[in-house]
Amino acid sequence: MLIYPVPVEVTQARVQLVVDQTAKAEARIINEDVIDVFAAKNNADREAIETLLDIRV
């Protein structure tokens, strides 16, 4: 299993999710935050794999 530091974008998206959950924001906003977390994590994973394989698209 590949382990690497969590990128800032992922951390920021997670923090925003927690802030909105704590503030009891609308479900729509929380859903958008969840999507943002997954999108940031997906981008970070892609960049890590590209770096490992030394492939730039």
Side-chain angles (χ1 to χ4, degrees), residues 2 44-57:
L2 176 64
D45 288 344
R46 282 186 185 163
E47 289 176 10
I49 290 171
E50 286 176 356
T51 301
L52 283 175
L53 298 177
D54 198 30
I55 298 174
R56 291 291 175 183
V57 177

Side-chain angles (χ1 to χ4, degrees), residues 19-38:
V19 167
D20 288 341
Q21 286 176 332
T22 303
K24 302 207 184 290
E26 296 177 23
R28 174 185 57 83
I29 294 172
I30 293 175
N31 286 338
E32 289 173 4
D33 290 343
V34 170
I35 291 170
D36 290 343
V37 169
F38 280 108

Side-chain angles (χ1 to χ4, degrees), residues 6-18 37:
V6 177
V8 174
E9 295 82 12
V10 176
T11 303
Q12 289 173 340
R14 288 179 180 167
V15 167
Q16 186 61 48
L17 173 60
V18 171
V37 169

